[in-house]
């Protein structure tokens, strides 16, 4: 059973996905003219091992690395993206919550999202976190990347 905050975050995420899909149906020519953005948004909640939210209410810098794998199990499978080891990104975590636009190199993301999602329908996002940009902890389990990212091929 999901706790109340987790249900709330899940509900927000689902609404955002639905609205994003609806918005793309309303303006298909804008996407076709400008090209399909190779960016996807990821929001997470960072806690310590006892479930306490990390990051102050005014925001604390943490460092993250993101990569795409073909297995849900940390320590198993093949890294599909990026082609080299993932670079770290400084992100503000506010009361446990963080947002990242993966692949948005124009706004500081270190890697272009050049993975071809049609090549493998079962892909997983690995998230690594650090408070010092030196020692990273791999969060488990990896998160399955679902239909919202695959919609780039709908047009």
């Amino acid at each position: 059973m999901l706790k109340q905050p987790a249900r709330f975050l899940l509900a927000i995420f689902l609404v955002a996905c639905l609205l994003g899909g609806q918005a793309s149906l309303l303006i298909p020519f804008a996407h076709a003219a400008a090209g399909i953005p190779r960016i996807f948004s990821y929001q997470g909640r960072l806690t310590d091992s006892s479930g306490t939210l990390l990051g102050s209410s005014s925001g604390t810098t943490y460092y993250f690395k993101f990569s795409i794998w073909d297995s849900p199990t940390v320590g198993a499978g093949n890294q599909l993206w990026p082609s080299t080891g993932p670079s770290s990104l400084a992100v503000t975590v506010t009361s446990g919550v963080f947002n990242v636009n993966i692949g948005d190199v124009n706004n500081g993301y270190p890697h272009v999202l050049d993975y071809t999602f049609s090549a493998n329908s079962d892909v997983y996002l690995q998230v690594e976190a650090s408070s010092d940009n030196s020692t990273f902890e791999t969060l488990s389990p990896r998160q399955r990347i679902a239909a919202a990212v695959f919609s780039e091929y709908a047009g």
Side-chain angles (χ1 to χ4, degrees), residues 40-44 64-74 80-82 86 98 100 102-103 109 113 117 122-128 138-146 149:
F40 73 90
S41 296
Y42 181 77
Q43 181 180 63
F64 292 87
K65 294 180 182 180
F66 298 92
S67 52
I68 297 174
W69 292 74
D70 64 0
S71 170
T73 307
V74 172
L80 305 172
W81 175 88
F98 65 93
V100 176
I102 295 172
Y109 195 82
L113 185 56
F117 286 95
D122 292 320
V123 294
Y124 303 86
L125 183 67
Q126 178 168 292
V127 180
E128 300 171 67
T138 303
L139 307 183
S140 183
R142 291 176 180 150
Q143 302 297 304
R144 185 165 189 214
I145 299 175
V149 172

Side-chain angles (χ1 to χ4, degrees), residues 24-35:
S24 65
L25 292 174
L26 296 174
I27 53 171
F29 297 110
H31 289 293

Side-chain angles (χ1 to χ4, degrees), residues 68-136:
I68 297 174
W69 292 74
D70 64 0
S71 170
T73 307
V74 172
N78 300 296
Q79 180 179 315
L80 305 172
W81 175 88
S83 59
T84 61
S87 299
S88 65
L89 174 69
V91 176
T92 301
V93 177
T94 305
S95 300
V97 176
F98 65 93
N99 298 289
V100 176
N101 287 322
I102 295 172
D104 190 358
V105 294
N106 291 329
N107 289 302
Y109 195 82
H111 302 285
V112 171
L113 185 56
D114 56 2
Y115 178 70
T116 304
F117 286 95
S118 63
N120 186 347
S121 63
D122 292 320
V123 294
Y124 303 86
L125 183 67
Q126 178 168 292
V127 180
E128 300 171 67
S130 171
S131 61
D132 62 7
N133 202 23
S134 178
T135 305
F136 283 82

